[in-house]
Amino acid sequence: MLKDIQITEQPVCACVPLDFPLTLRCKAQGPTKLYYQWFKQRESTCREIPGATQPDLHIHARQTNLYICRVNDKNQRILFSNWVKVKVLKDIPFGAIPPDWNGKPIIVTEPVSAHLTSRDAARLCCYAMGLPAPEYQWYHNGLCLPHKREKEIKIKSVRQKDSGSYLCHVSNVHGERWSEPAELTIEDDIILQASPSPSVCPGLTPGHRYFATGKVALLIGNNGYLNHPNLLAPMVDVFELSVLLRRLGFCVISLVDLTQEEMVLSIRQFLQLLEKGVYGLFYYAGHGYECSGRNYMVPIDAPQPYRPENCISVQRILQQMQDRKTALNVVLLDTCRKWYGVQCNQR
């Protein structure tokens, strides 16, 4: 009884740069002389490669193709190797491949950080060259994602649980590589019941229902006073803090040099944006003072001396924020406070 043909060495997949010289190998053993024929498939067409009748197939990789080797003997017994894919990566930067490269993974496309809104689609990519083609494993916040073993991660609709740091580990028989970390930050949407002015918080639609906790910040910086010394820092501080808060996903309302009437109006509109589950942050930089244990902010048109009826009570704002049933309230004051005794009249 004749023995069957057995393939002792299967060809392996590869991911290489354009025009890279590559050898695919298929070795087999059988009872009689064996004959080899290589085939190439591109798109839906599979064709015999003329002259490719040896165990080793030498190519210069110019296009991504599938390859297979047929082995037969004189008795017309036939066996096929595994299909292998040769992936060609184009536009590889000059110098990315060491002259003595032995096939160890080289990451050519790093995953990119992204700032998204809840329910957006997310896509993280990590492409690596390697011979054989590398295997991929993704990690989220240091934890292995068992089913994420492809070049890309796709999330149809992101949630807060998807935020954090992502890493991709690529490896083959020659070694391993780790990608650079990519950060996904997810901006919470807001539940609005009121009708904010478009100039106050553009892009928010009154009455539209969102599904995550919102973050809203009101920043006021008073510099140019009519009856008090002018200040220099509040405008710069408001700008720098607004940049930071936007990175953290806040809808930021930043205003400078407000009169008492303007401060009252802007605070009222700010409070309308606060609902159950929303994070509210209020920041004030400018003149301020304390009277009988209460803190007051000074509008630019407040007269001399300070009087509670011409200023804005910080405690009252905090109480109004709490009345909106928010999930978190933060009040930040950047003032050089003057202190008045108990003789001043409280508002």
Side-chain angles (χ1 to χ4, degrees):
M1 183 176 180
L2 295 176
K3 294 182 179 179
D4 292 332
I5 300 172
Q6 294 182 340
I7 293 180
T8 58
E9 184 176 347
Q10 293 278 3
V12 296
C13 297
C15 187
V16 294
L18 181 66
D19 284 330
F20 186 81
L22 179 66
T23 299
L24 298 178
R25 177 169 297 162
C26 175
K27 286 189 175 181
Q29 62 183 18
T32 61
K33 183 179 179 180
L34 299 178
Y35 302 90
Y36 295 84
Q37 178 60 60
W38 286 89
F39 295 82
K40 176 173 65 175
Q41 177 174 320
R42 178 169 173 80
E43 298 177 349
S44 59
T45 303
C46 183
R47 294 180 179 177
E48 184 178 290
I49 302 175
T53 59
Q54 299 298 320
D56 287 352
L57 175 65
H58 304 288
I59 61 173
H60 278 77
R62 293 187 175 90
Q63 291 179 322
T64 296
N65 291 308
L66 294 172
Y67 295 86
I68 194 171
C69 184
R70 184 189 67 202
V71 184
N72 66 277
D73 63 12
K74 64 180 181 180
N75 296 313
Q76 297 304 310
R77 286 180 296 182
I78 297 174
L79 187 63
F80 284 92
S81 72
N82 296 333
W83 281 102
V84 293
K85 183 177 184 178
V86 177
K87 173 73 173 178
V88 176
L89 296 181
K90 300 179 181 180
D91 301 322
I92 302 301
F94 179 78
I97 307 169
D100 57 349
W101 185 51
N102 66 347
K104 185 176 181 178
I106 298 176
I107 295 177
V108 295
T109 301
E110 298 278 359
V112 178
S113 299
H115 181 80
L116 305 169
T117 301
S118 293
R119 306 178 73 191
D120 281 350
R123 181 169 172 250
L124 295 169
C125 304
C126 178
Y127 296 157
M129 297 185 300
L131 183 58
E135 296 180 351
Y136 296 80
Q137 178 61 65
W138 287 88
Y139 291 78
H140 178 215
N141 292 332
L143 299 178
C144 178
L145 299 174
H147 303 296
K148 303 298 184 182
R149 302 178 63 87
E150 302 294 332
K151 302 177 183 67
E152 300 180 359
I153 287 182
K154 295 181 180 179
I155 307 174
K156 292 183 178 180
S157 179
V158 296
R159 294 289 188 268
Q160 278 297 332
K161 64 181 179 65
D162 300 312
S163 63
S165 179
Y166 287 81
L167 285 169
C168 187
H169 177 261
V170 296
S171 62
N172 64 13
V173 294
H174 298 295
E176 62 181 7
R177 287 283 190 273
W178 287 90
S179 72
E180 295 294 328
E183 300 289 335
L184 284 190
T185 55
I186 314 300
E187 179 178 346
D188 294 325
D189 292 325
I190 300 172
I191 301 174
L192 287 178
Q193 302 298 333
S195 299
S197 168
S199 62
V200 172
C201 195
L204 299 181
T205 306
H208 190 83
R209 180 173 178 81
Y210 298 83
F211 295 91
T213 301
K215 301 176 185 177
V216 185
L218 172 61
L219 315 182
I220 296 177
N222 284 343
N223 298 274
Y225 283 88
L226 303 179
N227 304 301
H228 307 282
N230 289 337
L231 302 173
L232 298 176
M235 182 178 294
V236 176
D237 294 340
V238 164
F239 172 79
E240 292 181 348
L241 184 57
S242 68
V243 172
L244 174 61
L245 290 175
R246 286 191 176 96
R247 290 176 182 170
L248 297 176
F250 277 81
C251 172
V252 180
I253 309 156
S254 54
L255 305 169
V256 295
D257 288 344
L258 300 187
T259 63
Q260 183 183 16
E261 181 179 356
E262 290 169 338
M263 287 185 71
V264 170
L265 178 61
S266 62
I267 292 169
R268 182 183 303 135
Q269 291 178 319
F270 166 65
L271 292 170
Q272 289 176 347
L273 297 176
L274 303 184
E275 295 289 345
K276 185 177 181 180
V278 174
Y279 289 10
L281 185 146
F282 177 81
Y283 170 83
Y284 170 77
H287 284 303
Y289 76 100
E290 180 183 336
C291 177
S292 299
R294 298 177 70 86
N295 292 285
Y296 292 87
M297 300 173 292
V298 181
I300 62 168
D301 61 345
Q304 283 275 21
Y306 300 136
R307 294 182 181 275
E309 60 267 24
N310 303 125
C311 300
I312 309 295
S313 169
V314 176
Q315 280 83 356
R316 176 168 293 187
I317 293 175
L318 180 56
Q319 182 61 53
Q320 291 172 328
M321 292 173 69
Q322 293 171 340
D323 291 343
R324 303 295 290 181
K325 309 292 186 186
T326 49
L328 176 68
N329 290 315
V330 178
V331 174
L332 303 175
L333 299 180
D334 187 2
T335 65
C336 296
R337 294 184 303 164
K338 291 187 177 181
W339 181 81
Y340 286 78
V342 295
Q343 73 275 10
C344 68
N345 295 321
Q346 295 187 21
R347 187 178 177 184

